[in-house]
Amino acid sequence: MKIIIATGTRGNDIYFRLAEFMAEMVHRYNAEIIFGECSWSAPRAQNLAIRTILTRQFDYVLFVDADVAPPMDVIDKLVAVQGDIVGAPVWMGYEQDIHLNVHYRHHPGRVYEGKPGGVEEVEHASFACLLVSEKVFREFQRRDENMLEWSPMLGPNTGGVPDSYFSHKARMMGFRIHVCWDAIGSIHHRPMRLGEDMIRHVLQYCRA
């Protein structure tokens, strides 16, 4: 199994635990690490990484945001789902608005409650920690579609951000998107002020 780990970075913002994770994955899977660097735009950095990825041979790409430290077993758990697009839940946000990078189908809005385990189909997935199969990349390439940008394929009324553009397009191409609750255990390491109740809530689901 050939694994690529891809991170978009502004050049100096790699969380040190992500670096430790990458080093372990190189040792464990002989994973290739690809960085896309852009000082002013994270999506631009991800696009640069994708451009390099398309020149490689691989089975899966694990996208990880520069400020996320995934659990060391996240690749095993996401691959075990046997899906083309599988995300790991990541706690993210600012100030007291701490939510998960999970978006349910037919239930708009943010998700604040984790689950103890299992696999669930979702509306769209975040690149914070996302496993994508080679098949997905090749289908986007075959259709000459950018993975992260709006295009006429989505229609004039489709708003969103790069993560949701990718998910909308992927679902239109026939791919299903899942979240693996067994892989929960990551948090965006941004400046946050967590209240005691939220800290207890997060720790209830995050397992080292």
Side-chain angles (χ1 to χ4, degrees):
M1 181 173 65
K2 175 61 178 176
I3 297 288
I4 293 174
I5 299 173
T7 295
T9 171
R10 291 180 170 85
N12 60 357
D13 59 343
I14 298 295
Y15 181 50
F16 78 95
R17 292 204 181 278
L18 174 58
E20 293 174 345
F21 169 81
M22 288 175 167
E24 176 61 25
M25 296 306 103
V26 170
H27 172 74
R28 190 178 299 184
Y29 301 105
N30 194 30
E32 180 179 2
I33 309 300
I34 292 178
F35 292 111
E37 294 189 20
C38 179
S39 62
W40 50 271
S41 170
R44 169 68 174 165
Q46 289 172 327
N47 262 324
L48 292 172
I50 290 169
R51 187 180 302 173
T52 302
I53 289 166
L54 290 172
T55 69
R56 303 292 202 269
Q57 296 296 317
F58 60 91
D59 297 300
Y60 295 98
V61 173
L62 180 69
F63 287 98
V64 187
D65 279 0
D67 52 2
V68 169
M72 290 296 180
D73 61 354
V74 70
I75 289 177
D76 289 339
K77 288 181 175 177
L78 298 184
V79 169
V81 174
Q82 298 183 330
D84 288 302
I85 305 170
V86 186
V90 176
W91 294 97
M92 55 199 304
Y94 296 94
E95 304 297 332
Q96 293 293 325
D97 182 19
I98 312 302
H99 54 276
L100 284 157
N101 63 328
V102 175
H103 300 265
Y104 291 126
R105 306 193 72 177
H106 314 303
H107 292 85
R110 290 178 172 172
V111 175
Y112 296 92
E113 294 287 335
K115 296 186 178 181
V119 176
E120 188 170 14
E121 187 169 359
V122 292
E123 179 75 8
H124 71 82
S126 162
F127 278 82
C129 191
L130 184 69
L131 189 80
V132 181
S133 76
E134 186 262 353
K135 184 191 305 183
V136 176
F137 283 88
R138 300 309 173 198
E139 183 62 18
F140 271 83
Q141 191 176 37
R142 185 184 72 81
R143 296 180 183 230
D144 195 27
E145 280 289 336
N146 186 289
M147 295 178 76
L148 302 180
E149 297 176 2
W150 182 91
S151 76
M153 175 183 185
L154 295 172
N157 298 319
T158 303
V161 294
D163 304 62
S164 59
Y165 291 150
F166 164 73
S167 296
H168 284 309
K169 289 183 180 182
R171 286 192 291 105
M172 291 173 72
M173 293 176 187
F175 295 105
R176 298 172 67 188
I177 302 169
H178 296 88
V179 61
C180 177
W181 289 105
D182 295 310
I184 196 168
S186 301
I187 185 167
H188 262 244
H189 291 268
R190 297 170 172 170
M192 298 182 188
R193 291 185 295 180
L194 302 180
E196 291 184 3
D197 289 342
M198 180 56 72
I199 290 172
R200 285 194 294 269
H201 183 68
V202 171
L203 291 178
Q204 176 182 354
Y205 298 100
C206 288
R207 298 186 291 276

